[in-house]
């Protein structure tokens, strides 16, 4: 149901001060680090140069001279300290984070999310993946707000490309990074050629996934009280009925096809669960069907994205998806705590079984045997 959570790091895997600064930072060059470096070199002595978070991240990634092994060791130490400070045995409890990894740099987060060196638990990988996604979403939020007012999809794709180019060497070497780069480049091409028209037909488009995830018709749906979200949804639906002209489209709450395409998952769950007793049986039934459809499509997409990856990729993505859901989304989709526990149990078993073999298929003779897991 939250398809964009699958982001290439858990399997498929992804803030300028204003929309103007985002567009400016990305508009002249795709490589934010290069443009930031040029700006610094051409500034007059005494001038104060303010870099966007993306530019800072890109520069940090380019000047980080640690080896991958050293960076992984640093990441392990940082997580150990966070867990100790939180007095938490693991990074997740009942599908919710027990530690705050927002202070970790992007390269470190990627190392954890992709389990570099096999040093990180599934819970740690999930928490890091969600933080990478949150940082990516934040980097696009200003451009997305501008897009909803001006129709400037090009600015949104530029912001996404700027964020993508701020990746470290390990992330850029991953296959998903190249796929995202190609999709965003095509999106920017379409958005530039046809201003005001959302790009379509792009396989694995991160911007399209982002827009579907955050929705566009209810303000701050993921952070507000669910009752207030439901009231906003009620207002939006009534306006939608009043302006409906398509054949078979709903013109009232009791009949017709309701267009839920621009509603985010939590807003949709508010209808499916009838929060505040504000929705008709017809609306509830159609919302519940939309939840099932999105859930099915998301799982299918995650499974397809996991093909060709390591054996544990699919499970990691499902656990990440669960952790990203609000309580209402989980309830509407039928993703129960018992299901979460079973997914984690099976994932841990998958990881253990995978550790018995080397990447070339040969048996790992490093001291671990099947009997250790029986």
């Amino acid at each position: 149901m939250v398809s964009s959570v699958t982001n290439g790091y858990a399997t498929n895997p992804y803030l300028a001060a204003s929309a103007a600064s985002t567009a400016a930072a990305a508009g002249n060059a795709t490589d934010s680090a290069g443009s930031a470096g040029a700006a610094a070199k051409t500034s007059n002595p005494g001038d104060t140069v303010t870099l966007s978070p993306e530019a800072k991240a890109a520069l940090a990634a380019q000047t980080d001279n640690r080896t991958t092994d050293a960076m992984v060791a640093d990441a392990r130490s940082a997580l150990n300290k966070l867990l100790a400070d939180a007095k938490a045995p693991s990074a997740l409890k009942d599908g919710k984070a027990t530690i705050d990894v927002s202070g970790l740099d992007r390269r470190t987060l990627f190392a954890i999310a992709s389990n570099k060196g096999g040093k990180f638990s599934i819970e740690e990988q999930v928490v890091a993946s969600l933080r990478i996604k949150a940082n990516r979403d934040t980097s696009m939020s200003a451009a997305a707000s501008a897009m909803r007012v001006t129709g400037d999809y090009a600015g949104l794709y530029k912001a996404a490309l700027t964020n993508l180019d701020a990746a470290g060497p390990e992330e850029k070497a991953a296959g998903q990074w190249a796929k995202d780069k190609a999709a965003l480049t095509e999106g920017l091409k379409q958005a530039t050629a046809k201003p005001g028209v959302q790009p379509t037909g792009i396989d694995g488009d991160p911007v399209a996934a982002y827009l579907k995830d955050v929705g566009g018709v209810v303000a701050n749906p993921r952070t507000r009280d669910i009752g207030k979200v439901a009231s906003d949804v009620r207002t939006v639906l009534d306006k939608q009925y009043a302006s409906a002209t398509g054949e078979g489209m709903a013109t009232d709450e009791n009949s017709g096809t309701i267009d839920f395409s621009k509603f985010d998952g939590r807003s949709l769950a508010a209808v499916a669960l009838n929060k505040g007793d504000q929705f008709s049986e017809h609306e509830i039934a159609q919302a519940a069907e939309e939840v099932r459809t999105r859930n099915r499509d998301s799982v299918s997409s995650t499974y397809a994205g996991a093909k060709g990856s390591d054996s544990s990729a699919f499970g990691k993505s499902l656990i990440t998806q669960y952790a990203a859901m609000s309580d209402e989304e989980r309830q509407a989709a039928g993703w129960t705590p018992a299901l979460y526990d079973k997914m984690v149990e099976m994932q841990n078993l998958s990881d253990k079984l995978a550790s018995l073999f080397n990447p070339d298929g040969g048996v790992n003779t490093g001291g671990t045997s099947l009997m250790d897991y029986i």
Side-chain angles (χ1 to χ4, degrees):
M1 186 170 162
V2 189
S3 59
S4 64
V5 170
T6 54
N7 57 32
Y9 312 129
T11 292
N12 158 17
Y14 310 153
L15 174 61
S18 65
S21 63
T22 300
N28 295 327
T30 304
D31 188 340
S32 60
S35 60
K41 290 178 182 178
T42 57
S43 295
N44 293 323
D47 286 350
T48 299
V49 179
T50 301
L51 301 179
S52 70
E54 285 77 14
K56 292 177 180 177
L59 286 172
Q62 289 192 1
T63 57
D64 185 348
N65 295 320
R66 291 176 296 171
T67 65
T68 298
D69 288 344
M71 184 263 301
V72 168
D74 289 345
R76 182 66 267 165
S77 296
L79 281 179
N80 289 343
K81 185 177 188 308
L82 287 172
L83 289 167
D85 290 346
K87 295 180 173 60
S90 68
L92 284 176
K93 180 177 175 57
D94 300 328
K96 297 182 179 180
T98 61
I99 58 175
D100 179 7
V101 296
S102 61
L104 301 182
D105 65 89
R106 179 165 171 170
R107 193 179 173 205
T108 299
L109 287 171
F110 180 78
I112 299 169
S114 57
N115 195 22
K116 283 289 182 184
K119 300 292 186 181
F120 308 101
S121 70
I122 178 61
E123 292 88 354
E124 292 164 347
Q125 294 170 51
V126 167
V127 170
S129 294
L130 291 175
R131 173 44 55 184
I132 289 173
K133 178 184 180 298
N135 290 344
R136 181 197 64 193
D137 290 355
T138 297
S139 75
M140 294 195 291
S141 61
S145 297
M147 179 277 297
R148 292 188 178 100
V149 175
T150 66
D152 178 23
Y153 285 96
L156 184 53
Y157 278 91
K158 288 176 183 178
L161 278 165
T162 299
N163 176 262
L164 189 71
D165 285 333
E170 294 84 9
E171 187 175 348
K172 287 185 175 180
Q176 188 61 43
W177 188 91
K179 292 178 182 178
D180 288 347
K181 178 79 170 183
L184 292 173
T185 300
E186 172 60 24
L188 178 58
K189 178 181 176 181
Q190 289 189 27
T192 302
K194 295 183 178 180
V197 178
Q198 182 173 359
T200 58
I202 304 173
D203 185 36
D205 183 355
V207 168
Y210 165 77
L211 291 175
K212 185 175 182 179
D213 186 25
V214 301
V217 294
V218 176
N220 303 318
R222 304 200 68 80
T223 57
R224 295 167 61 223
D225 175 78
I226 191 65
K228 294 179 179 178
V229 171
S231 294
D232 280 0
V233 172
R234 175 74 272 158
T235 299
V236 171
L237 283 175
D238 290 340
K239 290 181 178 178
Q240 186 169 293
Y241 299 152
S243 61
T245 57
E247 183 177 355
M249 298 302 294
T251 57
D252 60 55
E253 62 185 38
N254 296 313
S255 62
T257 301
I258 304 172
D259 181 10
F260 283 115
S261 63
K262 294 184 179 179
F263 286 85
D264 68 284
R266 190 164 184 251
S267 298
L268 188 61
V271 183
L273 300 174
N274 193 21
K275 290 296 183 178
D277 295 321
Q278 301 185 65
F279 305 100
S280 69
E281 292 184 5
H282 178 70
E283 291 171 325
I284 295 169
Q286 291 225 342
E289 179 60 30
E290 178 71 11
V291 168
R292 286 191 291 270
T293 298
R294 291 190 188 186
N295 192 56
R296 181 178 63 249
D297 291 348
S298 177
V299 172
S300 296
S301 177
T302 299
Y303 180 75
K307 288 183 178 180
S309 302
D310 65 274
S311 60
S312 64
F314 180 54
K316 290 178 185 177
S317 287
L318 290 181
I319 295 170
T320 304
Q321 185 169 332
Y322 179 96
M325 288 178 171
S326 64
D327 291 339
E328 295 81 14
E329 288 172 288
R330 293 173 186 169
Q331 183 180 352
W335 288 50
T336 63
L339 174 62
Y340 169 78
D341 291 340
K342 181 60 66 175
M343 287 193 296
V344 172
E345 178 185 343
M346 294 179 68
Q347 183 62 39
N348 287 333
L349 177 60
S350 174
D351 287 344
K352 288 179 179 179
L353 289 175
S355 71
L356 296 175
F357 300 92
N358 297 317
D360 63 0
V363 176
N364 181 358
T365 58
T368 301
S369 73
L370 182 60
M371 295 304 298
D372 293 316
Y373 301 128
I374 296 178

